[in-house]
DNA sequence: ATAAAACCTTGATCTGAATCAAGACACCGC
DNA sequence: GCGGTGTCTTGATTCAGATCAAGGTTTTAT
């Protein structure tokens, strides 16, 4: 299968991949040209269509994944089919490292939320490079630490905050990610959003309505106007709606 | 302040610390005698009494902490004083690394649950050692990865399982930690336990009763006999009580 | 462009667990 | 042993949010 990526460069699905993308990724900042070259030689590209599984909880993990295009989710499923999303990642983010460093298998599953291009770095050769590059090691430690921090926030939200507070916090985070615009566009469906903040689509719908009635936001399908950031801030700090 | 530790060696609170303890810690396995010596030169010991804070959420983190004796909890508090415990650590465990690798400050607070001896490794010198020792780096990555895994389990429990399932899972984990004995002793109070699994003391009390009535366990104050591990296993997999 | 599939809203009802309020128990120093 | 302090239990009540059900809207793939 032969195609061209958005830079017009030719590539082959599942084959070697150029360094032009790799050097834009935070994890690889500070690496020498040599090291980037080495990485490019071990990188493999894969494409996924919307809804396709990237890996399953319990699978053996054989390398790290990097999102080049599209969005993916990392999630857990309960016995009875309920889903909790742990992360949603877009271009430049890495995922799937836990089994690389800890052995064992994936603690969660991963699926493409839209057509996605993923770069894969096989474990053994990545680890070898890691042991020869303190900068890469420190970047990796920083990356895992950021995720630990994110998880503490998520646990706090699930355990100590109510749904309106979690939703308000999510909207404010979105705004921060989108240049602090008062108008934000939801990057995921409301159904996915409900799985991310640990509730149901019905509840999300009702809360949006209530927040609209309270003058905090105005919802237009997938675009939400944050009319009262102050109020949202207060609500996110465990206020009541 | 001068005293003797349990090995009879003399030490000074807040001063240099011997390598005999350090080499028993998983994080430092595979290190050379030289490197252990370096570590011992930067290690500082501190003692805490029951209930004393080790650090507060939002504080600047300037190094990593290792439990030598006693137990500590890492936790978050909500606006209205409710607590969610993120980890409980005992001898040999490390904590407080997130700010070391990510900059910024502690995402959670830490308190001694009993009189505790803690070894502290200041950030700058620890990081310097890290960049010269691939083994230490890999150990650290493995450690953070294990914690990411633990967090995925905790999030799954909070979001996807009900209180009886979480409690059953906790009891089975305890049993595994205590040689798979059918009789386990609670290492923490029931009030702390309720904060760990994300509920209240009242609910814990009721669930213990229900599980007793169902013939799954028998509770004697702080000792619990797991009478039906099969049944507990099933209950922990999201069964209903 | 169109049909099918996913997604979203709204209302009615149900339920697990929190909260509030007292007592009972257990462990501590004296 | 004894009183006191902190921890645990038990019951009554309340509530946030899940679930069930059904109709309407948007998105996606072809």
């Amino acid at each position: 299968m032969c195609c061209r990526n958005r830079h017009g460069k030719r590539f082959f699905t599942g084959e070697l991949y150029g360094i032009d993308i790799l050097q834009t990724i935070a994890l690889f900042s500070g690496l020498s040209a040599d090291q980037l070259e080495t990485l490019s030689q071990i990188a493999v590209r894969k494409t996924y269509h919307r809804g396709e599984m990237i890996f399953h909880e319990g699978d053996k993990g054989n390398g790290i994944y990097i999102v080049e295009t599209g969005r993916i989710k990392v999630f857990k499923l309960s016995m009875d089919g309920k889903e909790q999303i742990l992360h949603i990642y877009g271009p430049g983010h890495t995922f799937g490292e836990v089994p690389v460093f800890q052995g064992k298998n994936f603690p969660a599953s991963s699926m493409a939320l839209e057509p996605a291009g993923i770069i894969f770095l096989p474990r053994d050769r990545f680890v070898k490079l890691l042991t020869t590059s303190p900068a890469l090691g420190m970047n990796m430690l920083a990356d895992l630490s950021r995720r630990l921090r994110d998880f503490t926030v998520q646990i706090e939200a699930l355990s100590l905050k109510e749904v309106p507070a979690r939703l308000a916090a999510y909207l404010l985070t979105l705004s921060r990610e989108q240049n602090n615009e008062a108008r934000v566009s939801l990057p995921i469906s409301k159904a996915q959003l409900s799985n991310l903040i640990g509730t149901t689509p019905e509840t999300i719908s009702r809360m949006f309505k209530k927040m609209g009635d309270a003058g905090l936001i105005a919802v237009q399908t997938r675009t939400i106007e944050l009319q009262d950031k102050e109020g949202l801030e207060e609500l996110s700090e465990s206020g009541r709606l």
Side-chain angles (χ1 to χ4, degrees), chain A:
Chain A
M1 192 198 307
C2 173
C3 355
R4 279 170 192 281
N5 69 12
R6 67 177 196 272
H7 299 276
K9 231 179 177 166
R10 203 223 259 116
F11 64 90
F12 300 89
T13 298
E15 296 200 0
L16 297 186
Y17 199 60
I19 71 166
D20 50 346
I21 307 302
L22 293 176
Q23 67 193 359
T24 68
I25 290 164
L27 179 62
F28 303 129
S29 73
L31 293 202
S32 67
D34 249 24
Q35 291 168 327
L36 281 171
E37 174 63 24
T38 305
L39 272 177
S40 84
Q41 283 166 15
I42 68 178
V44 175
R45 187 180 199 261
K46 296 182 184 177
T47 60
Y48 296 86
H49 48 255
R50 178 189 155 88
E52 188 175 354
M53 294 297 292
I54 299 169
F55 52 73
H56 292 263
E57 175 171 353
D59 285 356
K60 209 171 61 171
N62 274 323
I64 78 168
Y65 297 76
I66 306 165
V67 181
E68 190 209 339
T69 58
R71 276 170 192 280
I72 67 95
K73 67 176 171 185
V74 176
F75 64 100
K76 288 240 188 198
L77 285 181
S78 74
M79 215 58 31
D80 52 330
K82 275 184 300 184
E83 172 180 314
Q84 172 66 46
I85 296 179
L86 300 173
H87 316 278
I88 290 185
Y89 288 134
H93 286 117
T94 61
F95 63 105
E97 307 88 333
V98 166
V100 167
F101 302 120
Q102 212 218 355
K104 303 199 185 172
N105 30 33
F106 289 114
S109 305
S110 176
M111 178 188 281
L113 288 174
E114 17 182 303
I118 304 292
I119 299 168
F120 177 80
L121 302 174
R123 174 185 176 145
D124 290 349
R125 296 204 269 174
F126 180 71
V127 168
K128 193 190 275 178
L129 183 62
L130 203 57
T131 58
T132 65
S133 166
L136 182 54
M138 290 307 294
N139 286 348
M140 198 78 240
L141 285 169
D143 198 53
L144 297 189
S145 294
R146 189 186 45 71
R147 261 140 72 178
L148 283 170
R149 177 185 299 272
D150 290 346
F151 272 148
T152 67
V153 172
Q154 199 167 355
I155 290 172
E156 174 184 30
L158 284 172
S159 163
L160 301 175
K161 293 182 174 180
E162 302 186 337
V163 171
R166 289 180 241 159
L167 189 50
Y170 176 78
L171 292 177
L172 290 167
T173 302
L174 255 196
S175 173
R176 243 169 275 128
E177 283 174 3
Q178 298 177 14
N179 295 320
N180 278 311
E181 293 292 328
R183 268 175 168 282
V184 299
S185 71
L186 292 179
I188 52 176
S189 74
K190 287 168 190 167
Q192 296 296 332
L193 174 55
S194 73
N195 287 335
L196 182 62
I197 72 176
T199 183
T200 60
E202 292 95 326
T203 297
I204 287 284
S205 193
R206 289 185 239 274
M207 293 310 164
F208 271 146
K209 188 151 186 227
K210 273 199 188 177
M211 289 165 73
D213 292 349
L216 294 170
I217 60 172
V219 183
Q220 295 118 45
T221 315
R222 278 212 152 192
T223 300
I224 294 168
E225 188 179 352
L226 310 192
Q227 299 175 314
D228 180 2
K229 283 202 190 184
E230 280 286 287
L232 286 171
E233 208 74 67
E234 198 193 316
L235 179 57
S236 79
E237 305 286 7
S238 200
R240 195 58 56 91
L241 196 59

